[in-house]
Amino acid sequence: MCSVDVLDWLLDGDPAIRWQVRRDLLHEPDGVVAAERAKVETEGWVAELLDLQREDGTWGAGVWTPEDRLGVDDAMLLLALLGAPADGERTRIAVDRVVRNVDWGEEWWNHPFFDGEVEPCINGRVLVAGSRFGHPSDLIVERLLNEQQTDGGWNCYAETRDDPGSFHSTICALEGLVAYRDAGGPTDVSAAIDRGHEYLLSRGLMRRLRDGSVIDEGWLVFSFPYYWAFDLLRGLDHLRAAGVPADARVTEAVDVVASRRQIDGRWLLDHEHSGRALIGMETVGEPSRWNTLRALRVLEWAGRS
């Protein structure tokens, strides 16, 4: 159980934080959670992000961009993560603009936005948004099922099925498939999800199979928004949300998360993926409500509360 002052601090934050605190830490009734969540369209980060959408469905850049602007894929994922309600009037308007106006261009056969393109790291994120906002794509699901690597992961740069998976691509694909499953998608994706989770768990979410070394020290610090990038907190929070039991294979990763707790009971924003944000949420090096919320619910899931 977290201290009252940390809970009060979390509940003093944006409604996108507050509704998840009420659901995941306080375990309050569904009606209370829904009432808090409904506020995101009219105040705070979601409202600001909705205000910035253009009539053409974009946020001033293309459907996807590696540059210093927010692509539609990043914006729609962020709306989903913040909890924009699918039945909210402003969210419906934003989604409808994307449906009417945004496609992937000639390079990707002018696919409508919610049907994705070819890379699992992008398609997984599009599937998260599509599943949350009423446009789950069986075309994306078919691609992801056909593109899973022999080792159970996914890799945007794989040339054969026997190439190794990538944690970055795998977490994006898994989040999309779980969102599709939870939205009641008709295709059975359970076997692919189980194989993907085994890929993460067999490596302790951080270590190479061949020698046990840490794959990337950067995964031991935590970002939000995380966009395409894997880190331990994102991986653990996904397993929790997906309903995977916490077993001994997550112990080391959970230890890392616990070790980053500050003396005041909060977690910092360790890192920011630069060049994408249209709205300012938190400051690197300062206490992070996003990381604190996610870390606390991971610790509870792991029996460490």
Side-chain angles (χ1 to χ4, degrees), residues 221-225 260 267-275 277 280-289 291:
V221 297
F222 311 135
S223 305
F224 192 90
R260 301 199 66 79
W267 279 256
L268 305 180
L269 181 65
D270 297 316
H271 175 261
E272 183 176 52
H273 296 286
S274 62
M281 289 191 285
E282 298 183 318
T283 302
V284 173
E286 296 294 324
S288 163
R289 288 184 171 90
N291 284 351

Side-chain angles (χ1 to χ4, degrees), residues 230-268:
F230 180 85
D231 63 45
L232 290 186
L233 183 53
R234 180 183 185 180
L236 290 167
D237 199 33
H238 164 74
L239 294 174
R240 175 203 63 83
V244 178
D247 64 25
R249 294 175 294 178
V250 304
T251 299
E252 185 181 20
V254 173
D255 286 344
V256 172
V257 171
S259 74
R260 301 199 66 79
R261 188 175 194 165
Q262 304 299 298
I263 194 169
D264 64 3
R266 300 181 291 184
W267 279 256
L268 305 180

Side-chain angles (χ1 to χ4, degrees), residues 11-27:
L11 289 171
D12 194 40
D14 191 272
I17 295 287
R18 298 198 305 261
W19 77 265
Q20 296 186 63
V21 171
R22 296 193 183 282
R23 182 191 65 184
D24 299 331
L25 299 181
L26 297 176
H27 308 291

Side-chain angles (χ1 to χ4, degrees), residues 72-85:
V72 176
D73 61 334
D74 288 334
M76 293 305 298
L77 176 65
L78 190 53
L79 286 172
L81 296 178
L82 298 181

